[in-house]
Amino acid sequence: MQRKALKMFLLPGKEAEYKKRHDEIWPELAELLKSVGIQNYSIFLDTETLVLFAYLEAEDLSQLDHLPQLPIMQKWWAYMADIMESNPDHSPKSVEIPSVFYLA
């Protein structure tokens, strides 16, 4: 299993809305993520800094490479762009976090 972690950035005052939108994640988006092998996908929020920490596992992370081109992914990003720091294409600004320790 391959692992990936990244951080994203929530806009001030948008904590409850971010949680609400993820509690109501679109079934077709959840199914897409599972279909490319994503497992154990979690997002945590540091309420002091508004940094979102995302962690996921997948058999082959390269299977995620085509996700940005898919309409449902682009639609989700546009939906989330008003509550997160986003790039011009509406994708969330994110920084990958390298692994420095793993206890299996």
Side-chain angles (χ1 to χ4, degrees):
M1 191 67 62
Q2 296 177 331
R3 299 169 294 121
K4 180 175 183 164
L6 55 99
K7 63 181 176 178
M8 298 171 288
F9 312 93
L10 193 60
L11 296 177
K14 302 299 183 180
E15 299 90 336
E17 183 62 22
Y18 185 88
K19 181 168 180 1
K20 177 184 180 295
R21 291 182 190 186
H22 280 79
D23 286 346
E24 300 170 354
I25 192 167
W26 304 334
E28 61 271 29
L29 178 58
E31 184 56 38
L32 171 65
L33 298 177
K34 290 177 183 179
S35 76
V36 296
I38 293 176
Q39 302 175 37
N40 297 322
Y41 189 3
S42 300
I43 302 173
F44 301 87
L45 173 62
D46 180 340
T47 56
E48 291 179 14
T49 65
L50 298 181
V51 170
L52 296 156
F53 170 77
Y55 171 83
L56 63 87
E57 297 174 350
E59 286 291 330
D60 181 2
L61 290 175
S62 71
Q63 294 297 307
L64 284 60
D65 293 346
H66 73 284
L67 292 177
Q69 288 76 44
L70 298 178
I72 189 67
M73 195 85 260
Q74 293 173 9
K75 185 177 174 184
W76 179 260
W77 287 346
Y79 176 57
M80 298 300 290
D82 66 325
I83 63 172
M84 304 177 65
E85 290 186 24
S86 300
N87 295 307
D89 68 354
H90 299 300
S91 64
K93 288 188 178 178
S94 63
V95 177
E96 287 201 31
I97 301 172
S99 176
V100 296
F101 175 76
Y102 178 65
L103 177 65

mmCIF file of all heavy atoms in Angstrom, residues 25-59:
data_model
loop_
_atom_site.group_PDB
_atom_site.id
_atom_site.type_symbol
_atom_site.label_atom_id
_atom_site.label_comp_id
_atom_site.label_asym_id
_atom_site.label_seq_id
_atom_site.Cartn_x
_atom_site.Cartn_y
_atom_site.Cartn_z
ATOM 1 N N ILE A 25 -20.644 14.457 1.031
ATOM 2 C CA ILE A 25 -19.867 14.242 -0.197
ATOM 3 C C ILE A 25 -20.738 13.563 -1.248
ATOM 4 O O ILE A 25 -21.555 12.693 -0.934
ATOM 5 C CB ILE A 25 -18.580 13.436 0.074
ATOM 6 C CG1 ILE A 25 -17.648 13.490 -1.140
ATOM 7 C CG2 ILE A 25 -18.883 12.021 0.508
ATOM 8 C CD1 ILE A 25 -16.247 13.009 -0.869
ATOM 9 N N TRP A 26 -20.592 14.001 -2.463
ATOM 10 C CA TRP A 26 -21.383 13.458 -3.562
ATOM 11 C C TRP A 26 -21.066 11.967 -3.735
ATOM 12 O O TRP A 26 -19.893 11.582 -3.824
ATOM 13 C CB TRP A 26 -21.083 14.193 -4.849
ATOM 14 C CG TRP A 26 -21.296 15.674 -4.778
ATOM 15 C CD1 TRP A 26 -22.143 16.356 -3.942
ATOM 16 C CD2 TRP A 26 -20.647 16.663 -5.575
ATOM 17 N NE1 TRP A 26 -22.063 17.699 -4.178
ATOM 18 C CE2 TRP A 26 -21.152 17.920 -5.179
ATOM 19 C CE3 TRP A 26 -19.702 16.606 -6.585
ATOM 20 C CZ2 TRP A 26 -20.736 19.111 -5.764
ATOM 21 C CZ3 TRP A 26 -19.282 17.788 -7.171
ATOM 22 C CH2 TRP A 26 -19.793 19.024 -6.767
ATOM 23 N N PRO A 27 -22.074 11.134 -3.811
ATOM 24 C CA PRO A 27 -21.827 9.690 -3.966
ATOM 25 C C PRO A 27 -20.960 9.360 -5.184
ATOM 26 O O PRO A 27 -20.104 8.477 -5.115
ATOM 27 C CB PRO A 27 -23.229 9.099 -4.106
ATOM 28 C CG PRO A 27 -24.128 10.091 -3.445
ATOM 29 C CD PRO A 27 -23.496 11.437 -3.690
ATOM 30 N N GLU A 28 -21.163 10.085 -6.295
ATOM 31 C CA GLU A 28 -20.367 9.791 -7.496
ATOM 32 C C GLU A 28 -18.893 10.152 -7.306
ATOM 33 O O GLU A 28 -18.008 9.515 -7.884
ATOM 34 C CB GLU A 28 -20.943 10.476 -8.742
ATOM 35 C CG GLU A 28 -20.992 11.986 -8.676
ATOM 36 C CD GLU A 28 -22.267 12.582 -8.083
ATOM 37 O OE1 GLU A 28 -22.910 11.949 -7.235
ATOM 38 O OE2 GLU A 28 -22.604 13.719 -8.475
ATOM 39 N N LEU A 29 -18.607 11.137 -6.471
ATOM 40 C CA LEU A 29 -17.215 11.481 -6.179
ATOM 41 C C LEU A 29 -16.595 10.427 -5.266
ATOM 42 O O LEU A 29 -15.474 9.979 -5.501
ATOM 43 C CB LEU A 29 -17.114 12.875 -5.544
ATOM 44 C CG LEU A 29 -15.709 13.319 -5.160
ATOM 45 C CD1 LEU A 29 -14.767 13.327 -6.364
ATOM 46 C CD2 LEU A 29 -15.747 14.688 -4.506
ATOM 47 N N ALA A 30 -17.325 10.024 -4.242
ATOM 48 C CA ALA A 30 -16.820 8.975 -3.349
ATOM 49 C C ALA A 30 -16.550 7.693 -4.132
ATOM 50 O O ALA A 30 -15.514 7.038 -3.938
ATOM 51 C CB ALA A 30 -17.811 8.721 -2.218
ATOM 52 N N GLU A 31 -17.448 7.346 -5.030
ATOM 53 C CA GLU A 31 -17.272 6.143 -5.841
ATOM 54 C C GLU A 31 -16.055 6.265 -6.755
ATOM 55 O O GLU A 31 -15.295 5.315 -6.925
ATOM 56 C CB GLU A 31 -18.523 5.864 -6.664
ATOM 57 C CG GLU A 31 -18.448 4.579 -7.463
ATOM 58 C CD GLU A 31 -18.154 3.349 -6.617
ATOM 59 O OE1 GLU A 31 -18.665 3.235 -5.488
ATOM 60 O OE2 GLU A 31 -17.378 2.489 -7.089
ATOM 61 N N LEU A 32 -15.846 7.436 -7.344
ATOM 62 C CA LEU A 32 -14.671 7.650 -8.188
ATOM 63 C C LEU A 32 -13.393 7.447 -7.383
ATOM 64 O O LEU A 32 -12.475 6.756 -7.829
ATOM 65 C CB LEU A 32 -14.686 9.062 -8.789
ATOM 66 C CG LEU A 32 -13.408 9.482 -9.512
ATOM 67 C CD1 LEU A 32 -13.161 8.619 -10.746
ATOM 68 C CD2 LEU A 32 -13.451 10.948 -9.858
ATOM 69 N N LEU A 33 -13.318 8.047 -6.213
ATOM 70 C CA LEU A 33 -12.110 7.917 -5.388
ATOM 71 C C LEU A 33 -11.843 6.457 -5.029
ATOM 72 O O LEU A 33 -10.706 5.983 -5.101
ATOM 73 C CB LEU A 33 -12.237 8.781 -4.138
ATOM 74 C CG LEU A 33 -12.374 10.291 -4.404
ATOM 75 C CD1 LEU A 33 -12.574 11.046 -3.096
ATOM 76 C CD2 LEU A 33 -11.202 10.837 -5.189
ATOM 77 N N LYS A 34 -12.884 5.735 -4.689
ATOM 78 C CA LYS A 34 -12.724 4.304 -4.381
ATOM 79 C C LYS A 34 -12.323 3.514 -5.623
ATOM 80 O O LYS A 34 -11.523 2.581 -5.536
ATOM 81 C CB LYS A 34 -14.015 3.751 -3.795
ATOM 82 C CG LYS A 34 -14.302 4.273 -2.403
ATOM 83 C CD LYS A 34 -15.638 3.755 -1.893
ATOM 84 C CE LYS A 34 -15.962 4.348 -0.532
ATOM 85 N NZ LYS A 34 -17.266 3.877 -0.030
ATOM 86 N N SER A 35 -12.850 3.910 -6.783
ATOM 87 C CA SER A 35 -12.576 3.164 -8.017
ATOM 88 C C SER A 35 -11.116 3.245 -8.449
ATOM 89 O O SER A 35 -10.646 2.373 -9.181
ATOM 90 C CB SER A 35 -13.481 3.637 -9.152
ATOM 91 O OG SER A 35 -13.055 4.879 -9.675
ATOM 92 N N VAL A 36 -10.407 4.294 -8.015
ATOM 93 C CA VAL A 36 -8.979 4.397 -8.342
ATOM 94 C C VAL A 36 -8.109 3.834 -7.221
ATOM 95 O O VAL A 36 -6.898 3.991 -7.225
ATOM 96 C CB VAL A 36 -8.552 5.843 -8.706
ATOM 97 C CG1 VAL A 36 -9.250 6.298 -9.968
ATOM 98 C CG2 VAL A 36 -8.774 6.799 -7.558
ATOM 99 N N GLY A 37 -8.766 3.179 -6.250
ATOM 100 C CA GLY A 37 -8.026 2.465 -5.213
ATOM 101 C C GLY A 37 -7.750 3.239 -3.940
ATOM 102 O O GLY A 37 -6.985 2.783 -3.094
ATOM 103 N N ILE A 38 -8.344 4.405 -3.784
ATOM 104 C CA ILE A 38 -8.115 5.181 -2.567
ATOM 105 C C ILE A 38 -8.799 4.505 -1.386
ATOM 106 O O ILE A 38 -9.971 4.121 -1.463
ATOM 107 C CB ILE A 38 -8.611 6.628 -2.721
ATOM 108 C CG1 ILE A 38 -7.760 7.367 -3.761
ATOM 109 C CG2 ILE A 38 -8.575 7.366 -1.378
ATOM 110 C CD1 ILE A 38 -8.223 8.771 -4.069
ATOM 111 N N GLN A 39 -8.036 4.353 -0.309
ATOM 112 C CA GLN A 39 -8.534 3.768 0.933
ATOM 113 C C GLN A 39 -8.050 4.623 2.095
ATOM 114 O O GLN A 39 -7.084 5.370 1.970
ATOM 115 C CB GLN A 39 -7.999 2.354 1.117
ATOM 116 C CG GLN A 39 -8.336 1.404 0.004
ATOM 117 C CD GLN A 39 -7.665 0.067 0.205
ATOM 118 O OE1 GLN A 39 -7.533 -0.415 1.321
ATOM 119 N NE2 GLN A 39 -7.240 -0.539 -0.881
ATOM 120 N N ASN A 40 -8.707 4.502 3.214
ATOM 121 C CA ASN A 40 -8.270 5.195 4.437
ATOM 122 C C ASN A 40 -7.989 6.676 4.183
ATOM 123 O O ASN A 40 -6.954 7.205 4.578
ATOM 124 C CB ASN A 40 -7.037 4.520 5.041
ATOM 125 C CG ASN A 40 -7.331 3.106 5.475
ATOM 126 O OD1 ASN A 40 -8.408 2.818 5.980
ATOM 127 N ND2 ASN A 40 -6.396 2.213 5.252
ATOM 128 N N TYR A 41 -8.901 7.330 3.512
ATOM 129 C CA TYR A 41 -8.751 8.753 3.202
ATOM 130 C C TYR A 41 -9.329 9.550 4.361
ATOM 131 O O TYR A 41 -10.512 9.434 4.672
ATOM 132 C CB TYR A 41 -9.474 9.070 1.894
ATOM 133 C CG TYR A 41 -9.243 10.460 1.318
ATOM 134 C CD1 TYR A 41 -8.385 11.375 1.906
ATOM 135 C CD2 TYR A 41 -9.894 10.842 0.161
ATOM 136 C CE1 TYR A 41 -8.181 12.625 1.361
ATOM 137 C CE2 TYR A 41 -9.695 12.098 -0.396
ATOM 138 C CZ TYR A 41 -8.849 12.975 0.208
ATOM 139 O OH TYR A 41 -8.655 14.227 -0.336
ATOM 140 N N SER A 42 -8.488 10.348 4.989
ATOM 141 C CA SER A 42 -8.902 11.181 6.117
ATOM 142 C C SER A 42 -8.405 12.599 5.902
ATOM 143 O O SER A 42 -7.326 12.810 5.341
ATOM 144 C CB SER A 42 -8.305 10.668 7.432
ATOM 145 O OG SER A 42 -8.722 9.357 7.704
ATOM 146 N N ILE A 43 -9.198 13.565 6.368
ATOM 147 C CA ILE A 43 -8.778 14.961 6.369
ATOM 148 C C ILE A 43 -8.985 15.484 7.780
ATOM 149 O O ILE A 43 -10.060 15.329 8.357
ATOM 150 C CB ILE A 43 -9.572 15.811 5.359
ATOM 151 C CG1 ILE A 43 -9.425 15.249 3.936
ATOM 152 C CG2 ILE A 43 -9.101 17.273 5.408
ATOM 153 C CD1 ILE A 43 -10.303 15.915 2.892
ATOM 154 N N PHE A 44 -7.946 16.090 8.327
ATOM 155 C CA PHE A 44 -7.979 16.659 9.666
ATOM 156 C C PHE A 44 -7.816 18.167 9.562
ATOM 157 O O PHE A 44 -7.148 18.664 8.655
ATOM 158 C CB PHE A 44 -6.837 16.087 10.518
ATOM 159 C CG PHE A 44 -6.880 14.595 10.659
ATOM 160 C CD1 PHE A 44 -6.279 13.778 9.709
ATOM 161 C CD2 PHE A 44 -7.526 13.999 11.729
ATOM 162 C CE1 PHE A 44 -6.309 12.400 9.826
ATOM 163 C CE2 PHE A 44 -7.570 12.624 11.858
ATOM 164 C CZ PHE A 44 -6.956 11.821 10.902
ATOM 165 N N LEU A 45 -8.389 18.902 10.507
ATOM 166 C CA LEU A 45 -8.297 20.361 10.516
ATOM 167 C C LEU A 45 -7.598 20.830 11.777
ATOM 168 O O LEU A 45 -8.022 20.508 12.891
ATOM 169 C CB LEU A 45 -9.695 20.992 10.451
ATOM 170 C CG LEU A 45 -9.752 22.512 10.625
ATOM 171 C CD1 LEU A 45 -8.986 23.233 9.519
ATOM 172 C CD2 LEU A 45 -11.194 22.982 10.698
ATOM 173 N N ASP A 46 -6.525 21.604 11.604
ATOM 174 C CA ASP A 46 -5.896 22.310 12.719
ATOM 175 C C ASP A 46 -6.659 23.622 12.870
ATOM 176 O O ASP A 46 -6.516 24.527 12.044
ATOM 177 C CB ASP A 46 -4.419 22.563 12.431
ATOM 178 C CG ASP A 46 -3.707 23.304 13.556
ATOM 179 O OD1 ASP A 46 -4.380 23.957 14.384
ATOM 180 O OD2 ASP A 46 -2.471 23.238 13.604
ATOM 181 N N THR A 47 -7.498 23.722 13.891
ATOM 182 C CA THR A 47 -8.376 24.878 14.036
ATOM 183 C C THR A 47 -7.621 26.156 14.392
ATOM 184 O O THR A 47 -8.160 27.244 14.214
ATOM 185 C CB THR A 47 -9.463 24.607 15.090
ATOM 186 O OG1 THR A 47 -8.848 24.247 16.327
ATOM 187 C CG2 THR A 47 -10.385 23.489 14.635
ATOM 188 N N GLU A 48 -6.401 26.048 14.870
ATOM 189 C CA GLU A 48 -5.611 27.246 15.180
ATOM 190 C C GLU A 48 -5.041 27.885 13.923
ATOM 191 O O GLU A 48 -4.974 29.105 13.816
ATOM 192 C CB GLU A 48 -4.487 26.906 16.154
ATOM 193 C CG GLU A 48 -4.975 26.549 17.545
ATOM 194 C CD GLU A 48 -3.837 26.196 18.486
ATOM 195 O OE1 GLU A 48 -2.654 26.471 18.162
ATOM 196 O OE2 GLU A 48 -4.145 25.634 19.545
ATOM 197 N N THR A 49 -4.608 27.057 12.959
ATOM 198 C CA THR A 49 -3.960 27.574 11.751
ATOM 199 C C THR A 49 -4.841 27.479 10.508
ATOM 200 O O THR A 49 -4.483 28.035 9.473
ATOM 201 C CB THR A 49 -2.656 26.803 11.475
ATOM 202 O OG1 THR A 49 -2.991 25.437 11.171
ATOM 203 C CG2 THR A 49 -1.703 26.864 12.659
ATOM 204 N N LEU A 50 -5.937 26.742 10.600
ATOM 205 C CA LEU A 50 -6.829 26.448 9.475
ATOM 206 C C LEU A 50 -6.137 25.639 8.380
ATOM 207 O O LEU A 50 -6.534 25.654 7.230
ATOM 208 C CB LEU A 50 -7.460 27.717 8.909
ATOM 209 C CG LEU A 50 -8.341 28.494 9.874
ATOM 210 C CD1 LEU A 50 -8.926 29.721 9.198
ATOM 211 C CD2 LEU A 50 -9.434 27.618 10.465
ATOM 212 N N VAL A 51 -5.109 24.906 8.777
ATOM 213 C CA VAL A 51 -4.440 23.989 7.850
ATOM 214 C C VAL A 51 -5.189 22.658 7.891
ATOM 215 O O VAL A 51 -5.466 22.119 8.961
ATOM 216 C CB VAL A 51 -2.957 23.794 8.224
ATOM 217 C CG1 VAL A 51 -2.333 22.662 7.424
ATOM 218 C CG2 VAL A 51 -2.181 25.080 8.004
ATOM 219 N N LEU A 52 -5.527 22.171 6.709
ATOM 220 C CA LEU A 52 -6.135 20.861 6.548
ATOM 221 C C LEU A 52 -5.032 19.854 6.252
ATOM 222 O O LEU A 52 -4.183 20.096 5.383
ATOM 223 C CB LEU A 52 -7.130 20.878 5.386
ATOM 224 C CG LEU A 52 -8.330 21.789 5.568
ATOM 225 C CD1 LEU A 52 -8.905 22.195 4.215
ATOM 226 C CD2 LEU A 52 -9.380 21.097 6.423
ATOM 227 N N PHE A 53 -5.025 18.754 6.970
ATOM 228 C CA PHE A 53 -4.055 17.691 6.748
ATOM 229 C C PHE A 53 -4.796 16.497 6.173
ATOM 230 O O PHE A 53 -5.726 15.978 6.791
ATOM 231 C CB PHE A 53 -3.363 17.299 8.054
ATOM 232 C CG PHE A 53 -2.533 16.050 7.940
ATOM 233 C CD1 PHE A 53 -1.290 16.089 7.331
ATOM 234 C CD2 PHE A 53 -3.009 14.839 8.423
ATOM 235 C CE1 PHE A 53 -0.529 14.933 7.208
ATOM 236 C CE2 PHE A 53 -2.251 13.680 8.311
ATOM 237 C CZ PHE A 53 -1.013 13.722 7.704
ATOM 238 N N ALA A 54 -4.435 16.094 4.960
ATOM 239 C CA ALA A 54 -5.084 14.965 4.300
ATOM 240 C C ALA A 54 -4.119 13.792 4.219
ATOM 241 O O ALA A 54 -2.928 13.967 3.960
ATOM 242 C CB ALA A 54 -5.540 15.367 2.900
ATOM 243 N N TYR A 55 -4.665 12.606 4.460
ATOM 244 C CA TYR A 55 -3.885 11.378 4.388
ATOM 245 C C TYR A 55 -4.713 10.328 3.657
ATOM 246 O O TYR A 55 -5.914 10.195 3.910
ATOM 247 C CB TYR A 55 -3.551 10.865 5.798
ATOM 248 C CG TYR A 55 -2.944 9.482 5.789
ATOM 249 C CD1 TYR A 55 -1.590 9.319 5.564
ATOM 250 C CD2 TYR A 55 -3.730 8.357 5.969
ATOM 251 C CE1 TYR A 55 -1.030 8.052 5.523
ATOM 252 C CE2 TYR A 55 -3.186 7.081 5.936
ATOM 253 C CZ TYR A 55 -1.832 6.930 5.710
ATOM 254 O OH TYR A 55 -1.273 5.675 5.658
ATOM 255 N N LEU A 56 -4.071 9.616 2.737
ATOM 256 C CA LEU A 56 -4.763 8.532 2.052
ATOM 257 C C LEU A 56 -3.787 7.421 1.722
ATOM 258 O O LEU A 56 -2.568 7.611 1.709
ATOM 259 C CB LEU A 56 -5.465 9.031 0.788
ATOM 260 C CG LEU A 56 -4.607 9.613 -0.338
ATOM 261 C CD1 LEU A 56 -4.097 8.537 -1.287
ATOM 262 C CD2 LEU A 56 -5.411 10.633 -1.112
ATOM 263 N N GLU A 57 -4.363 6.271 1.463
ATOM 264 C CA GLU A 57 -3.602 5.106 1.033
ATOM 265 C C GLU A 57 -4.205 4.606 -0.272
ATOM 266 O O GLU A 57 -5.419 4.708 -0.479
ATOM 267 C CB GLU A 57 -3.679 3.999 2.087
ATOM 268 C CG GLU A 57 -3.059 4.382 3.401
ATOM 269 C CD GLU A 57 -3.259 3.330 4.487
ATOM 270 O OE1 GLU A 57 -4.036 2.369 4.281
ATOM 271 O OE2 GLU A 57 -2.655 3.479 5.551
ATOM 272 N N ALA A 58 -3.345 4.069 -1.135
ATOM 273 C CA ALA A 58 -3.792 3.466 -2.390
ATOM 274 C C ALA A 58 -2.763 2.438 -2.828
ATOM 275 O O ALA A 58 -1.570 2.565 -2.502
ATOM 276 C CB ALA A 58 -3.976 4.528 -3.466
ATOM 277 N N GLU A 59 -3.222 1.448 -3.544
ATOM 278 C CA GLU A 59 -2.302 0.432 -4.065
ATOM 279 C C GLU A 59 -1.279 1.054 -5.009
ATOM 280 O O GLU A 59 -0.121 0.686 -5.011
ATOM 281 C CB GLU A 59 -3.076 -0.670 -4.788
ATOM 282 C CG GLU A 59 -3.816 -1.609 -3.874
ATOM 283 C CD GLU A 59 -2.897 -2.499 -3.053
ATOM 284 O OE1 GLU A 59 -1.785 -2.830 -3.513
ATOM 285 O OE2 GLU A 59 -3.302 -2.852 -1.934
#
